[in-house]
Amino acid sequence: MGYVERTLGFSTRHLDDRDIRLVTVIVAGTVRWKRYIDYLIMSLCSDEKVFSKMEPLLLQILRIGFFEILKLNVPAYAVVDENVRLAKVALRPGAGNMVNAILRKLLSLKETDSLPLPKVEGDDRAQARALSIIYSHPVWMVRRWIRFHGKEEALKLMNWNNSDPYFSLRVNTANGYTRDDLVNRLEDLQVHYEKSIMDEFVRIREGMQAVLQAGLLREGMCAVQDESAGFVVSVVDPQPGESIMDCCAAPGGKTLFMASRLAGQGKIWALDINKGRLRILMEAAKCHNLDDIITDVHGDLRLYAKESTAKYDKVLLDAPCSGLGVLSKRADLRWNRQFEDLEELTCLQDELLYSASSLVKPGGVLIYSTCSIDHEENENRITAFVQRHPEFTLEGVHGYVPAEFITDEGFYSSSPTKHSLDGAFAARLVRSIH
Ligand SMILES: C[S@@+](CC[C@H](N)C(=O)[O-])C[C@H]1O[C@@H](n2cnc3c(N)ncnc32)[C@H](O)[C@@H]1O
């Protein structure tokens, strides 16, 4: 579940499903389209100073009104009335007048199809700046994606990130449920679904509130998990009887799926530095009836690896990463990531890979994964690791995931634009026997 749902959860208990969905769409959409909307608000203010000095709450109310007018089929009069009222109640009558004037200006520009838009012209930097406004993304992401994937692909990716996401549900076979059981419950709840390419999964675009309120997650029938993460578990390929160390495990999406594949035989150690997230993992493990094969370990992987002498058949490092593959689900993430984060993250990923590798048995397997689509966090980390660790050999993921997800170098890679899934990456490395 994304931050929007979690944040809103506290203040929407009295709303019905339709209204909760509307609030969720408005909050997520307003956050996603912030850069584009701010450009329009600035263009419609009498001068730039009015915009830069605007009170934060007034700006938020305008952003919501702009999003509703530009992207939703809400009647214009209702948007103006509601947001003027909101400004009057939350601020003062004068603020309501200002909201009224600016929203009406926007409506007339929209009606005459004359909304201001920056021109995509000039050098690369200027073009990226214009596109970053039109598609509402940070400039550095636009430049990076155009540079590495080309303009067409970059635009597709931004369109994907701006669309309302699908959510996938994975049925919990460890509790004895089948996908048909889940499908029957969704039909009872009148939630429209699609069966996924992965056997245990179904996809829904709407109806998450109904699923939550019916208790499907609470009673351990299913978990919210994207197939892109499910395929990482296929790359791990857990087998009954194996010992598996899940190095960055919380909140446990992959731990639980791996555990359900062990068919009651074997053991998973779920290590994470974040105690609160580990607690969520163990609560979910209990609810999925998998707590007897999962042991939680609270700590920093780098210290744990130094002190531990234990070795495991398989070690999964689902590394902390930029999350650039999941921007459609995490509406706020694009604004919280800086280019400089990438350097910091890749250093951490190298350190964690080094630590994780020391826990692999001779002949065992190390799996590195991220939910990023950036080669610096993916292919480049593996290339750097293999150069420094000749005891590990890269093994292709052929046979573990469908061919369309396998790169020329033998990595698993899911792409939002190619596969309509979140972006994810995984590599399999085998430790030599000696
Ligand atoms: C991408 S998330 C893991 C998601 C998880 N595997 C799942 O499928 O639900 C990365 C995790 O790494 C943890 N982490 C970050 N630095 C760590 C460290 N030095 N040692 C152990 N865990 C760490 C974070 O707390 C976070 O929970």
Side-chain angles (χ1 to χ4, degrees), residues 209-225:
Q209 279 307 319
V211 169
L212 290 174
Q213 277 167 18
L216 269 55
L217 270 63
R218 212 175 36 243
E219 69 195 45
M221 179 177 225
C222 62
V224 179
Q225 183 164 47

Side-chain angles (χ1 to χ4, degrees), residues 225 229 246-255 271-274 277 281 299-302 316 318-321 348 352 369-371:
Q225 183 164 47
D246 188 354
C247 289
C248 286
K254 296 182 189 78
T255 320
L271 183 145
D272 205 280
I273 201 166
N274 187 317
R277 281 160 69 94
L281 183 157
D300 185 324
L301 173 64
R302 292 164 294 189
L316 168 63
D318 189 31
C321 71
L348 177 62
L352 295 176
S369 65
T370 70
C371 57

